[in-house]
Amino acid sequence: MPLEIVSPRIRGFICTNAHPAGCAASVDAQIRRAEKAGSGDRTGGNGLVIGASTGYGLASWIAGAFAHRMSVLGVFFERPPSEKKTATAGYYNAAALARRAGEKGVRVAAVNGDAFSHAVKREVLDRVRREFAPLDLVIYSLASPVRVHPDDGRTIRSTLKPVGNPYTTKTIDLDRDRVTEITLEPASPEEIADTVAVMGGDDLSRWMRALSEAGLLAPQVRLLAYSYVGPRVTWPIYRTGTIGLAKADLEKTARELDAALKPAGGRSLVSVNAAVVTQASSAIPGVPLYLAIANKILSEKGLLERPIDQILRLFADHARPGKTASLDDEGRIRMDDREMRQDVQELVAERWRAITTDTLPVLADLQAFKHEFRRLFGFEIDGVDYQAPVEIDVAL
């Protein structure tokens, strides 16, 4: 395939291409951070990351493999390159991670396919049985707006809506850099059920049942399921909306699994992670504006973390062998502790009330938000020559 110059194709919260060299450079930077943080730590063991190609899942794959020298299998669903299109960023991330692992003698493997499906579960079980058993760590970081139900083939879609009553919130027009208002009608019972079916705990339960029945879990296995709570300003669209109900179902499932794993010494824990810029979060009304405000405040206070930094802290303080996780009143690890600090959230609420299009440049950092968004797709990464043609046909 001929080399080509790759420039970002972005509209609003959608980016339709990715830069292979930029994605590789981003992965390299995270690997260096993980190796530095894990210096002298050789936890070893085997891990499985479900939803491993971007965001917190990618950070978990990197942290496990390069900070703690675990053998880690990553599962994800990403589009490979074609003659007309680049691959997705997650595909390039996974390819870069696998390449660096091979160079550094770290054992990783990848399965690219629909993690909701029976076929991919069987493929993963076979791969784990051959190369990664028993599993000492399982991370569930799957985030998808659509699920083809494995039992009957129905296509189910999640919905970003409030529950019970209409909700009006401030949001941001990312094409015109304007603060606007949007009113969302409440979800129907069917939309609520479908969102829970896609993003709730059913698939997690199926994964753990399959791994357990196949005898692939170590007695002291740790399962980490990633969730988000966020501040009250986003609750009507997030925590008490359709997505929040799905997350509540995921957390309920994790607690049920914890009860099943505990007798043999295992644990199933929910890690409530901080809000970060992702393509998914950028699509939620109000959340990009919240992130532009909150991340400015966190940066001013020296508290801002990227996913890799947060996951390295999660592993070091809560998840690695020998560590007893610190839990909140509902039994969850709170990695959003910096975001949710009282002084941070008081400032967020104050700026949220005052923000308009005119005050946006002072009260928030929209350009930093857009920079982080572009970085997700391999753009605006330091040290990458974006005027140079690159090979987009990268093998995984």
Side-chain angles (χ1 to χ4, degrees):
M1 192 175 293
L3 303 183
E4 61 180 76
I5 295 174
V6 180
S7 300
R9 298 173 184 166
I10 295 174
R11 183 170 179 80
F13 55 84
I14 299 294
C15 183
T16 60
N17 66 346
H19 197 286
C23 290
S26 176
V27 167
D28 285 345
Q30 293 179 72
I31 289 173
R32 289 193 297 271
R33 179 72 184 88
E35 289 179 326
K36 182 179 179 181
S39 180
D41 182 353
R42 295 293 183 266
T43 299
N46 298 303
L48 170 66
V49 180
I50 303 164
S53 55
T54 60
Y56 284 122
L58 175 64
S60 301
W61 197 6
I62 290 171
F66 294 94
H68 300 282
R69 292 286 165 162
M70 300 185 76
S71 299
V72 187
L73 175 62
V75 184
F76 48 84
F77 197 13
E78 298 288 351
R79 186 190 71 231
S82 67
E83 290 185 4
K84 295 183 178 180
K85 288 185 177 181
T86 69
T88 53
Y91 179 95
Y92 289 137
N93 292 339
L97 188 155
R99 185 167 59 252
R100 291 293 179 262
E103 294 168 358
K104 294 173 177 288
V106 178
R107 191 154 67 97
V108 304
V111 172
N112 187 10
D114 181 4
F116 291 129
S117 70
H118 293 313
V120 166
K121 286 183 174 66
R122 286 193 295 269
E123 182 179 354
V124 171
L125 292 180
D126 289 342
R127 196 71 182 267
V128 170
R129 189 178 293 109
R130 295 196 310 268
E131 302 176 47
F132 295 92
L135 289 170
D136 303 284
L137 178 66
V138 178
I139 290 176
Y140 191 81
S141 184
L142 194 61
S144 171
V146 180
R147 180 188 187 189
V148 176
H149 200 285
D151 294 341
D152 58 21
R154 288 181 299 126
T155 297
I156 313 169
R157 300 183 185 279
S158 63
T159 304
L160 295 167
K161 287 188 176 182
V163 171
N165 298 297
Y167 173 58
T168 299
T169 184
K170 291 180 179 179
T171 191
I172 194 159
D173 182 333
L174 292 172
D175 290 321
R176 295 186 293 169
D177 293 358
R178 293 181 58 84
V179 176
T180 62
E181 280 195 346
I182 185 172
T183 298
L184 301 168
E185 294 301 315
S188 68
E190 293 76 16
E191 288 172 324
I192 295 170
D194 284 352
T195 304
V196 172
V198 174
M199 303 182 72
D202 178 68
D203 184 61
L204 171 60
S205 179
R206 289 168 182 259
W207 270 106
M208 293 303 290
R209 183 167 61 249
L211 291 165
S212 177
E213 290 175 354
L216 299 177
L217 300 176
Q220 295 183 328
V221 65
R222 284 204 172 187
L223 164 66
L224 296 175
Y226 292 161
S227 189
Y228 179 68
V229 172
R232 290 187 179 276
V233 71
T234 66
W235 275 17
I237 189 60
Y238 199 97
R239 192 62 189 176
T240 61
T242 52
I243 302 178
L245 295 183
K247 291 296 185 184
D249 186 74
L250 178 72
E251 293 174 19
K252 175 176 176 289
T253 299
R255 289 192 295 271
E256 293 168 350
L257 290 168
D258 191 47
L261 293 173
K262 265 185 178 179
R267 291 303 307 269
S268 168
L269 298 170
V270 170
S271 178
V272 177
N273 298 336
V276 289
V277 180
T278 66
Q279 182 149 304
S281 68
S282 299
I284 303 173
V287 171
L289 181 59
Y290 167 75
L291 284 166
I293 295 171
N295 286 355
K296 179 178 173 64
I297 294 167
L298 290 166
S299 182
E300 291 168 349
K301 292 178 176 289
L303 299 172
L304 187 62
E305 292 180 308
R306 285 199 167 114
I308 186 63
D309 301 306
Q310 197 170 144
I311 295 303
L312 288 169
R313 187 161 64 94
L314 169 65
F315 276 38
D317 295 349
H318 302 280
R320 71 180 180 182
K323 284 288 184 180
T324 300
S326 299
L327 308 176
D328 69 5
D329 292 342
E330 296 184 41
R332 304 170 298 189
I333 301 169
R334 296 304 295 263
M335 297 308 299
D336 62 346
D337 51 346
R338 300 182 182 188
E339 176 192 357
M340 298 309 296
R341 264 178 37 169
Q342 183 175 347
D343 60 330
V344 172
Q345 288 304 317
E346 285 176 351
L347 269 176
V348 168
E350 179 184 312
R351 294 186 185 186
W352 183 273
R353 288 191 295 270
I355 203 158
T356 64
T357 299
D358 291 337
T359 61
L360 180 62
V362 176
L363 300 181
D365 194 341
L366 182 58
Q367 297 315 307
F369 172 89
K370 289 188 172 185
H371 172 64
E372 286 302 312
F373 183 81
R374 293 185 180 105
R375 283 176 55 88
L376 298 173
F377 305 93
F379 299 106
E380 298 186 11
I381 305 294
D382 291 343
V384 177
D385 182 0
Y386 290 99
Q387 302 307 311
V390 292
E391 175 60 74
I392 68 169
D393 189 14
V394 176
L396 175 59

